[in-house]
Amino acid sequence: MAEDLVLDTAIRDWVLIPLSVVMVLIGVLRYFVSKLMRSSQTPDAKIVREGQVMLRARNLRAGANFIPSKAFRARKIYYCNEENGLLFVPKGQAQNPQAQMFSDPNMAMDMMKKNLSMIIPQTLTFAWVNFFFSGFVAAKIPFPLTQRFRSMLQNGIDLSTVDVSYVSSRSWYFLNLFGLRGLFSLILGEENAVDDTQRMMQMGGGFGFDPSKGLSVEKDNLDITQHDWALPNFEQRAEDVLKKVIS
Amino acid sequence: MAVHSGSGSSEKKSSNGVNELLAFNAENMQSNMKIIYYSRTFLSIIGGVVAGILGFTGLKGFVFYLLLMAFTSLGLVAKAKFSIHTYFDSWNRVLVDGFLGGLMSFVLFWTFAYDIAHIF
């Protein structure tokens, strides 16, 4: 290394460790608060029913090759029949679930609460870090980076000759933000690993698409499903398996 | 830690062993995925601390991380008794799945341990 800065032990004691501890604690706090604040919404019966019908249609599509062709066709007609099939919804009513879900006050409040509960602690912590811990070298990252990262990582430090590996506490904050996700998923159990960016992407992607067109999409998918009998010689196969079991 | 003893008993079969027919039990497969994720995360944290204490810098550290991930994959494959297809649906899952998430945790703990052990 060109120069090997020796940093004060006080930095370690009063910056690195407290920042990490605070972030872990805030994450745990956020988890419990979101658990407490989760309002129990009574789901609308009609929407639940539609969801279940879609699930059944999807299961039918997945297992189509394992039931005899006549049975599959009977089920398919039951679902896709123009007049009174389960998946057929007259055009007027099709829009309702989507509009209802978006303007439903409960759901909107829940989403807002979730978003806020993620953004506010992050913003507060970031402001706190900037206020208290700026203007000095906080840590050294063990791998070298190019000069372009200098402005991003060394934000409070105004010397341009310092190696880019020596970073300010802001970058330690970001490093913690990303790295502690894995730790949270281990500590807090399976559900609700505090994974804000990923969850927001998932929510944005899956939420807008599914309820709006669900039924007609399922109907089309089921219409085009071919039946390909996948167990042609299953008597022989069953016989082999039984022989193996008995012998 | 609970992960390692747990992963022994709870890698469930997620498909029948019949030759061409692959029917997946979604719940079991999800549980297997979770196990992979936990193992990877845990090992990357421990590996980060080890790399920091041993003073790896730069490329050596990343090579260490790759070795760690390869070791994890090997362990998982051995645990699944080398018949991947009864437990997972594709090779990619076993080999590549938790890679990036583990990388971030690895870098965090590597930086932390390196700084505490060597700079201060």
Side-chain angles (χ1 to χ4, degrees), chain B residues 22-77:
Chain B
L22 292 177
F24 293 110
N25 183 347
E27 205 178 278
N28 284 349
M29 198 152 75
Q30 242 186 358
S31 143
N32 292 347
M33 288 299 128
K34 259 188 241 169
I35 288 178
I36 296 184
Y37 181 65
Y38 286 157
S39 317
R40 281 242 160 85
T41 311
F42 187 63
L43 271 183
S44 43
I45 289 181
I46 302 268
V49 174
V50 166
I53 293 181
L54 289 181
F56 290 149
T57 58
L59 207 53
K60 262 199 290 183
F62 285 115
V63 166
F64 183 69
Y65 180 66
L66 285 179
L67 278 179
L68 202 63
M69 287 296 117
F71 180 64
T72 315
S73 306
L74 201 64
L76 284 168
V77 165

Side-chain angles (χ1 to χ4, degrees), chain A:
Chain A
M1 306 249 105
E3 62 290 342
D4 223 4
L5 294 183
V6 173
L7 298 172
D8 196 0
T9 313
I11 300 184
R12 168 183 28 142
D13 292 343
W14 293 100
V15 174
L16 290 193
I17 297 184
L19 194 53
S20 300
V21 166
V22 162
M23 289 187 74
V24 169
L25 288 179
I26 286 186
V28 172
L29 191 68
R30 197 165 31 168
Y31 169 67
F32 283 121
V33 164
S34 74
K35 246 184 151 180
L36 287 176
M37 283 207 320
R38 199 172 302 167
S39 58
S40 61
Q41 19 164 305
T42 56
D44 191 11
K46 183 166 178 294
I47 295 185
V48 170
R49 221 182 320 160
E50 281 175 6
Q52 297 291 66
V53 165
M54 278 192 341
L55 268 181
R56 280 168 63 189
R58 239 178 274 163
N59 280 339
L60 176 64
R61 239 190 318 142
N65 297 332
F66 293 105
I67 51 180
S69 120
K70 224 191 309 181
F72 176 65
R73 253 179 291 140
R75 284 176 174 83
K76 197 160 109 165
I77 293 180
Y78 178 59
Y79 280 109
C80 305
N81 193 8
E82 289 297 311
E83 300 298 315
N84 49 8
L86 285 184
L87 290 180
F88 182 70
V89 171
K91 285 294 180 189
Q93 292 183 10
Q95 295 306 314
N96 268 353
Q98 169 196 11
Q100 207 174 19
M101 226 179 275
F102 277 127
S103 64
D104 193 13
N106 278 338
M107 184 112 28
M109 271 295 287
D110 266 351
M111 275 187 52
M112 239 178 49
K113 263 190 246 177
K114 264 188 226 157
N115 281 340
L116 279 186
S117 81
M118 264 167 232
I119 294 182
I120 284 190
Q122 274 188 29
T123 322
L124 283 180
T125 316
F126 189 54
W128 178 63
V129 165
N130 270 343
F131 181 62
F132 279 112
F133 299 131
S134 62
F136 57 91
V137 170
K140 177 179 189 297
I141 46 181
F143 48 91
L145 290 172
T146 62
Q147 297 297 320
R148 278 188 299 145
F149 287 99
R150 180 185 287 273
S151 64
M152 187 166 64
L153 297 178
Q154 282 193 345
N155 216 307
I157 308 167
D158 290 326
L159 307 168
S160 58
T161 56
V162 176
D163 211 359
V164 189
S165 304
Y166 292 96
V167 298
S168 68
S169 34
R170 190 185 292 193
S171 48
W172 176 246
Y173 168 73
F174 280 119
L175 199 60
N176 264 320
L177 193 64
F178 291 124
L180 285 178
R181 271 193 273 160
L183 192 67
F184 281 141
S185 72
L186 283 182
I187 298 181
L188 299 178
E190 299 92 22
E191 64 161 51
N192 223 355
V194 188
D195 211 357
D196 38 7
T197 46
Q198 274 188 12
R199 212 176 355 148
M200 276 203 273
M201 286 196 307
Q202 270 181 12
M203 281 265 293
F207 181 67
F209 186 71
D210 276 349
S212 61
K213 306 189 200 147
L215 287 186
S216 46
V217 165
E218 282 302 324
K219 177 168 179 299
D220 292 337
N221 283 341
L222 201 51
D223 269 337
I224 66 178
T225 312
Q226 300 284 357
H227 181 258
D228 188 15
W229 177 235
L231 305 172
N233 296 327
F234 70 102
E235 300 103 352
Q236 265 112 0
R237 229 183 282 158
E239 182 186 337
D240 290 337
V241 168
L242 281 177
K243 273 199 208 147
K244 248 193 285 177
V245 167
I246 294 178
S247 70

Side-chain angles (χ1 to χ4, degrees), chain B residues 89-107:
Chain B
D89 56 350
S90 75
W91 276 96
N92 285 343
R93 304 242 188 200
V94 178
L95 298 180
V96 188
D97 194 27
F99 197 76
L100 286 181
L103 184 66
M104 298 306 317
S105 305
F106 175 77
V107 166

